[in-house]
Amino acid sequence: RRRREEEAERRRRQQEEEERRRNEKPVPKPPPRYRGKVPAIGDMLSVNVLKGEDLKRPGKLDKPDPYVMVGFDNQPPPYDHKTEVCKNTTDPVWDEVLNEMATPPYARGLAVEVYDKDHFSKDDFMGRGELDLRAEQNEMHAVELFDDDDHHVGRVYLRYHVRRGSAASSQAVPSGDSN
């Protein structure tokens, strides 16, 4: 009888441990290396969108025709900067540089959205992710993408570069003195 009780207790503990593991949230990946400073207002960004990987469209059988739109986290889509469309692939290679992105006030990150180009209807949203602008410049970063239901739908690799003060210096403000 004692042996049966011990066995039942062992099974109960195993079931509790399995339940705890099922309910446990996945451990997040460590954050990218940070330099600590976000770009200042008016600094110009160049973003090199390199490639996508494992792009998924739940419920769709055909392969997507993906493109990427990039903007700042504090601005609403649609964003002005986008890549070309890569036809019929879940692992697109863009290797495109999106230039002249002036940093707006309070921007802390880059917003990355991926869409599937449709020829006869509105383009389908595939997923969205963000890259913190404190991340190391000129290094490749993987931006994990999630759809509206928080399902992981792939990743986009990119790097970015900041030109300090470029927009601010090119937009001279009159001093008010008119002699």
Side-chain angles (χ1 to χ4, degrees):
R1 180 177 180 218
R2 184 170 178 236
R3 182 178 253 163
R4 277 184 275 168
E5 288 174 356
E6 288 173 353
E7 182 66 26
E9 180 65 21
R10 186 181 63 75
R11 272 187 261 132
R12 185 187 61 75
R13 274 188 258 139
Q14 277 181 333
Q15 288 174 343
E16 286 175 358
E17 179 67 20
E18 287 173 9
E19 182 69 24
R20 185 186 62 79
R21 275 193 219 129
R22 269 195 303 271
N23 293 332
E24 201 172 76
K25 294 193 178 203
V27 178
K29 292 182 180 180
R33 294 184 308 173
Y34 290 139
R35 295 186 101 161
K37 284 189 168 184
V38 296
I41 297 170
D43 285 349
M44 299 302 284
L45 265 70
S46 294
V47 178
N48 184 356
V49 181
L50 301 166
K51 64 180 181 173
E53 188 173 81
D54 298 328
L55 300 180
K56 298 175 187 75
R57 296 181 314 151
K60 303 276 185 159
L61 297 176
D62 58 333
K63 289 186 179 179
D65 298 328
Y67 65 91
V68 175
M69 295 184 80
V70 178
F72 291 96
D73 61 344
N74 63 343
Q75 295 180 326
Y79 303 118
D80 293 334
H81 297 83
K82 72 180 198 175
T83 65
E84 294 295 320
V85 174
C86 284
K87 301 265 187 206
N88 200 30
T89 182
T90 58
D91 298 305
V93 176
W94 290 286
D95 198 13
E96 287 186 47
V97 177
L98 306 175
N99 285 315
E100 304 306 319
M101 295 178 65
T103 307
Y106 309 111
R108 308 288 292 166
L110 283 175
V112 178
E113 292 188 344
V114 178
Y115 290 84
D116 175 22
K117 180 72 176 167
D118 277 340
H119 300 286
F120 303 108
S121 63
K122 183 179 172 195
D123 295 350
D124 295 327
F125 172 77
M126 292 178 67
R128 183 179 204 275
E130 289 188 11
L131 175 66
D132 192 311
L133 285 174
R134 294 175 296 167
E136 191 76 34
Q137 289 185 53
N138 301 317
E139 288 199 11
M140 185 166 63
H141 299 283
V143 177
E144 301 298 327
L145 302 171
F146 296 90
D147 66 10
D148 289 333
D149 296 323
D150 260 355
H151 296 114
H152 185 260
V153 293
R155 68 197 54 78
V156 170
Y157 292 91
L158 55 83
R159 56 172 63 98
Y160 78 99
H161 175 74
V162 177
R163 290 192 322 270
R164 299 278 176 206
S166 298
S169 64
S170 67
Q171 297 174 351
V173 178
S175 65
D177 294 335
S178 55
N179 294 356

